């Protein structure tokens, strides 16, 4: 398998986010030949189409990171039955550019209770011409715990399904060429 570069994105800005912990576990669990880079969203300004002609530096960096990735791993919370504002803002900055078109995406969720936001997020990503890899999607029961990435890796009931999802994502990307 050729080396793959994946971009991990957390839709929560919370320091102790379960979604962040889930993403922190991924580099250890990823298949051989996969490099995972996290891209923080906290520097992105609120979306403003008037800035398209002179994009702020954080937006240029975000678009460049997406363009350089073979696929995106998104872990984002559900707030009030919807996609987090942080995640939606980041996606809005990609709408006018070519960086995201055809990009494979795996949706990972830190709770099994979220039902609305994952479906909304998948719909938004497909509308933006992303390719949601359903076989690589996963919801884990992380809420209510104080697990970090290392604790997730050490817990077989969490690490095993994550490894399976990541292997499915790698295979889907390799198949696309």
């Amino acid at each position: 398998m050729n080396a793959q570069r994946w971009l991990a994105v957390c839709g929560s800005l919370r320091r102790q986010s379960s979604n962040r912990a889930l993403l922190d576990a991924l580099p250890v669990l990823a298949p051989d030949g996969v490099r995972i880079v996290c891209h923080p969203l906290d520097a992105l300004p609120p979306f403003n189409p008037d800035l398209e002609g002179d994009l702020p530096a954080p937006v240029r960096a975000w678009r460049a990171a997406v363009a350089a990735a073979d696929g995106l791993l998104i872990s984002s919370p559900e707030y009030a039955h919807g996609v987090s504002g942080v995640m939606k803002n980041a996606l809005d900055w990609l709408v006018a550019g070519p960086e995201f078109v055809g990009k494979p995406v795996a949706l990972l969720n830190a709770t099994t209770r979220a039902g609305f936001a994952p479906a909304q997020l998948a719909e938004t990503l497909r509308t933006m011409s992303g390719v949601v890899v359903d076989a690589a999607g996963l919801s884990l029961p992380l809420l209510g715990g104080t697990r970090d990435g290392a604790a997730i890796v050490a817990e077989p009931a969490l690490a095993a399904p994550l490894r399976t999802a990541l292997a499915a994502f790698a295979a889907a990307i390799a198949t696309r060429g």
Side-chain angles (χ1 to χ4, degrees):
M1 174 188 330
N2 291 336
Q4 295 180 10
R5 178 184 163 99
W6 299 351
L7 188 66
V9 183
C10 183
S12 173
L13 300 181
R14 191 169 170 226
R15 235 175 318 130
Q16 298 299 322
S17 165
S18 298
N19 292 284
R20 167 66 54 214
L22 193 158
L23 293 176
D24 288 345
L26 300 183
V28 176
L29 301 172
D32 290 339
V34 170
R35 180 169 174 240
I36 299 175
V37 176
C38 288
H39 189 89
L41 301 178
D42 56 342
L44 287 177
F47 176 67
N48 181 347
D50 289 341
L51 299 177
E52 284 293 331
D54 187 22
L55 291 174
V59 175
R60 288 193 311 273
W62 165 233
R63 285 184 170 183
V66 171
D70 294 309
L72 273 68
L73 302 160
I74 297 176
S75 185
S76 187
E78 177 173 294
Y79 292 131
H81 286 183
V83 176
S84 78
V86 170
M87 190 75 252
K88 182 66 170 86
N89 184 58
L91 294 176
D92 285 344
W93 279 114
L94 296 174
V95 169
E99 301 84 2
F100 185 74
V101 175
K103 197 69 65 173
V105 182
L107 297 178
L108 307 172
N109 205 307
T111 179
T112 55
R113 295 186 303 181
F116 296 95
Q120 292 169 10
L121 185 54
E123 176 63 20
T124 299
L125 295 168
R126 287 183 181 109
T127 300
M128 294 172 59
S129 299
V131 179
V132 177
V133 180
D134 292 324
L138 180 66
S139 292
L140 293 175
L142 299 180
L143 285 186
T146 55
R147 293 178 189 96
D148 61 6
I152 293 169
V153 169
E155 194 169 329
L158 300 174
L162 271 171
R163 276 193 183 96
T164 300
L166 296 175
F169 195 51
I173 292 171
T175 300
R176 294 179 55 85

